[in-house]
Amino acid sequence: MATTTPLTETDLTRISSSAAEDFVDAYYTALNASRHHISSFYVPPSPLPNNRSLPHISYNGEPYSDAAAFQETFEKQMPWTHFEAQSVNVHVLNPCMVPLGEKAGKKDAERNMSLVVQVSGYVRLVERKEGPMRGFSDSFVLVPNKEEVGGRGTKGGEGRKWLVQSQNFRFVV
Amino acid sequence: MPARTMAARNQSPLNAPRGPAATRRKRGGARSDRDGDLTMDVAVKGRGRIGKSTPPARGGRDLTSRTSRAEGRGDLLSGTARKAILRSAAAGDVSMREGRSTGSRGGLVELSITGWEKSKASGAEDGGVSALIKWLEKKASHRLGSRTRDVKVKKSRKEGDTVYISVASEHVVALVRMNGYEWAGTNVKIERVGGSKESDDGVKSQAEETKAMLRGVLERRYNFETKVLDLSALGQDPELNKANVFDKSSTTKKIFPALMKVLELSFDTEAERHAAITGVSLANNGLADLTDVTTLSQTLPKLHNLDLSNNDFKGLSSLQNWRKRFYNLQHLILSGNPLEQSEPEYPAEVIKWYPNLRMLNSVQVRTEDELAKKSAPAELPFPIRTPLFQDEGGIAEAFIRTFFAGFDNDRAALAAHYYDEQSDFSYAVNTQAQRDPASTQHTEKQEWDQYIKNSRNLKKISQLPARQNRQFRGPKAVGDAFFALPKTKHPDLATEARKWMVEAHIQPGVPDPTGQSPNGVDGFMITIHGEFEELDTATGQAGKKRSFDRTFIIGPGGPSGVRVVGDMLTVRAFGGAQAFDPDNFEGWTTEPAAPRTTPELVPQLPAGLTIEVAEKMVIELQKQTNMTVQYAKDCLEQVGWDFQKGLEVFASVKANLPAEAFVQVA
């Protein structure tokens, strides 16, 4: 099968879980405190066949086809927030997104998988102490930030290793 | 729908902001009627500060009432009588609601009205007769309670000082009850011609009479325009004092709970009650604490305006009972109480008690802007929207239906059906999740014992081997992990759809098990939020309710044609479904998760829209958008057949509509 990876199960768990933890930390920090960076967490807009496009963002039922528009809503309309992830889980979605040449090593393989991340947490709204609290659930598909997936690469851009390709957020409490 | 009718009819320009402050003070001991008084315009409208700067005329009276009460300890309404009232009120043996009709329908009944001729309106050309009739109609229509109707005076004639009116028989009770009300500075007498028909109804029990009396008191003290119920100075109420069941010096303590009970019985629903009464005055009742009147916060918890002025509250501690009540309170009046001197800093504390308070003693304490900033999540830029559900050929939907039926009934078979050797499952427990604010379930000590062993919450499980061990791959391991979880019962997807939030979209780059597409194939990402009950394995009894979030990636393959690539579950404390309740939905999106029932052949049309026009709208929308007829019709239905809105909604959701929403060009 072409869809194999030289990485072991342990490698996959290690890479995916640290990627998820780093991503979750950075992402919710940005929502809380550096909203002008929000769009840098997403893959750049790219069309797909059948009139679809990526990234797919569904935020409490509101669709966004473009992270810049999502960022703008957060910057201009969202009150003060404090998002806190209480539970995080991750799986490798696809361990081998594109066939790699035979010479490809572990480093290349690490940058050739996609992840699915599930977060459960709460958000304090409006005001630190007495603002209303809501529960949320957030799910992401993350892909490596590299040119092949349309990213700007880790060297340029904001140095993010993983980018959001799909997201589904809901207030659940 | 009665509630809606009520609200619509109750619209008045004199709304909430006025409140109890604007409640007109009753004069003397006479039965007064606020909206019948032609001089009401000069009343303390909009201001109504009951501060010490303008000592209320009744201050003196209030004092005497307190004295008389002090003298008369033990004076109160006899215990038995009180119990009898409460018992009969609670039993509801007498309907306080207006029947659809009393007596034979259709016939007109003649009433005589006297005592009106000396009114302030007597200078009018007709001596005030037309004004009188207008007032009678209005006052009788605007009654306290459910099922109020428009009372019309069908005929009227004047003979000397008596005006005779004819009304439909079902309105007689409403009018006769107004006997003695004050109109334009005079008390009018309203009687049925030919004597009261009361005797027809047989002898009324004492409890019935008491209830009718209390109801009369409430009605007289209710102002339809301002929606204020004026329960001030109950000790001086002539009717309450006159009633035999009460001792002369009866107090609020005895009357109040009975009044609240009768008030509750006057309305069919709580919503109607709350809509009809938004303000209450308890001024001048000599209250030192809330013991006597505490039932108010149960009967009318949604008050906007509350007047507690000129009582005997010595400190905030005497108001403590209502600290967490009246969440919607916007205006509170506490002036004329000793606490103003003893705790001059009390306003700061009171403002904290009531998060929606705007005015305290008629002084603004919060602006609308400030309140807007504290906005509820409903006012976030992300209002609750209907599910975004992108499906193709019903694949995702069929998967969800089969999956949860299988999860509740036969997990081993489910695992074998949808999971192959590459399928992953794991779950995480969020033990600190927000709970449903309305839930009464409590947390027990070993609350999460049955789940914690395999929970893969990366926030808690930091060791790599543990992280690996808690992820299950292949039908056998997944089936075993399923088996170790408590048995569950999920609500029915079709009949209890509102307990679910199911969303799906097409997810590219899903691994292809056949290897034919090395760059991956299209699958679905499905996110589901919902609840389940744990079932006791031995007894099958339902136990704890939990909420869950489940994220699936599914793709083609496996024995059923659909395989689970990844399945992640979060289990958390029951959080309810209000966060995604369809009642709060706005706008219109693509397919709802639950399949629609067969589309009705005849669309539900708003009044004034004919089928022909509707059909033309559907065809036109279809032409302009290229949607199918069904989608165009659904779209118009969702926007209440506003064509322009339909176009706007289409433009905003266009990108998310499935291909089948559009007419396929062959």
Side-chain angles (χ1 to χ4, degrees), chain A residues 1-3 9-18 20-21 24-25 48 50-52 54 56-65 70 73-74 77-79 81 84-99 114 116-123 125-127 130-141 143 165-173, chain B residues 373-378 380-388 390 392 424-430 432-437 456-462 464 467-468 471 473 501 503-515 517-520 522 525 527 529 549-551 553 565-570 572-580 585 589 652-653 655-656:
Chain A
M1 268 203 311
T3 51
E9 282 307 313
T10 312
D11 290 335
L12 291 171
T13 305
R14 179 177 47 79
I15 296 160
S16 61
S17 55
S18 75
E21 288 172 302
V24 166
D25 282 351
L48 289 178
N50 295 335
N51 272 336
R52 295 200 300 271
L54 292 173
H56 174 97
I57 307 172
S58 164
Y59 212 83
N60 213 35
E62 188 81 50
Y64 288 87
S65 54
F70 174 67
T73 309
F74 244 83
Q77 295 175 49
M78 197 70 170
T81 56
E84 186 81 43
Q86 294 167 312
S87 165
V88 177
N89 197 359
V90 63
H91 286 177
V92 173
L93 195 172
N94 189 342
C96 184
M97 293 172 71
V98 291
S114 57
V116 47
V117 180
Q118 191 188 43
V119 180
S120 172
Y122 74 86
V123 53
L125 294 159
V126 184
E127 199 261 304
E130 309 217 322
M133 284 240 276
R134 301 293 304 272
F136 72 87
S137 173
D138 217 349
S139 299
F140 304 89
V141 171
V143 294
Q165 190 190 53
S166 295
Q167 177 182 20
N168 184 296
F169 172 95
R170 274 282 171 184
F171 289 112
V172 292
V173 183
Chain B
K373 277 193 203 136
K374 288 208 160 198
S375 62
L380 293 175
F382 305 105
I384 303 167
R385 299 257 192 241
T386 41
L388 287 175
Q390 215 178 49
E392 240 164 50
D424 286 317
F425 165 71
S426 68
Y427 69 86
V429 182
N430 179 0
Q432 291 141 17
Q434 286 280 104
R435 280 149 211 279
D436 177 16
R456 195 176 188 259
N457 179 356
L458 301 184
K459 288 265 171 198
K460 311 275 181 192
I461 307 299
S462 54
L464 195 54
R467 288 176 171 186
Q468 264 185 284
Q471 184 171 339
R473 178 166 301 167
M501 170 49 71
E503 295 184 288
H505 71 267
I506 292 163
Q507 175 62 47
V510 171
D512 174 18
T514 65
S517 309
N519 291 317
D522 279 357
M525 176 168 167
T527 47
H529 312 287
D549 311 299
R550 203 154 188 163
T551 305
I553 304 286
V565 178
D567 169 7
M568 260 190 276
L569 168 68
T570 295
R572 51 189 169 81
F574 181 65
Q578 69 284 349
F580 40 83
F585 280 169
T589 52
S652 68
V653 300
N656 299 296

Side-chain angles (χ1 to χ4, degrees), chain B residues 164-224:
Chain B
Y164 293 95
I165 58 168
S166 299
V167 296
S169 57
E170 66 262 34
H171 297 149
V172 171
V173 177
L175 283 157
V176 171
R177 200 177 271 151
M178 289 162 60
N179 183 25
Y181 274 29
E182 186 190 309
W183 172 69
T186 177
N187 292 351
V188 295
K189 208 170 167 196
I190 304 168
E191 283 167 316
R192 194 182 173 116
V193 175
S196 165
K197 212 173 156 250
E198 209 91 315
S199 49
D200 295 3
D201 304 324
V203 184
K204 282 190 179 178
S205 74
Q206 195 192 4
E208 276 175 73
E209 262 175 40
T210 306
K211 258 208 268 189
M213 182 276 292
L214 292 176
R215 157 106 192 189
V217 170
L218 287 169
E219 255 178 32
R220 185 164 38 80
R221 288 168 165 267
Y222 173 61
N223 185 332
F224 176 81

Side-chain angles (χ1 to χ4, degrees), chain B residues 279-355:
Chain B
V280 165
S281 170
L282 284 172
N284 298 296
N285 276 308
L287 300 169
D289 58 46
L290 297 169
T291 322
D292 297 352
V293 294
T294 189
T295 41
L296 180 72
S297 69
Q298 285 137 42
T299 305
L300 294 167
K302 301 196 170 169
L303 284 183
H304 290 168
N305 306 295
L306 180 61
D307 184 350
L308 296 174
S309 60
N310 299 312
N311 279 295
D312 199 18
F313 297 115
K314 298 199 171 61
L316 279 183
S317 58
S318 42
L319 295 167
Q320 192 69 23
N321 271 359
W322 283 353
R323 187 189 158 166
K324 303 243 165 171
R325 307 289 168 86
F326 302 118
Y327 178 83
N328 300 314
L329 198 63
Q330 296 183 4
H331 188 179
L332 176 67
I333 302 182
L334 278 170
S335 50
N337 279 291
L339 68 83
E340 283 187 304
Q341 281 79 46
S342 59
E343 294 175 17
E345 264 90 66
Y346 80 92
E349 186 64 20
V350 167
I351 292 164
K352 275 194 234 157
W353 287 8
Y354 303 106

Side-chain angles (χ1 to χ4, degrees), chain B residues 404 407-408 411 441 448 451 485-491 499-500 529-535 542-550 569-575:
Chain B
F404 285 100
F407 198 79
D408 285 348
R411 292 180 188 169
Q441 276 191 160
W448 298 104
Y451 297 89
L485 288 169
K487 205 167 159 35
T488 54
K489 183 173 182 295
H490 290 79
K499 293 180 175 171
W500 295 82
H529 312 287
E531 63 191 65
F532 61 82
E533 282 172 322
E534 290 173 2
L535 296 185
K544 279 243 168 180
K545 255 192 192 178
R546 312 279 188 194
S547 284
F548 72 91
D549 311 299
R550 203 154 188 163
L569 168 68
T570 295
V571 183
R572 51 189 169 81
F574 181 65

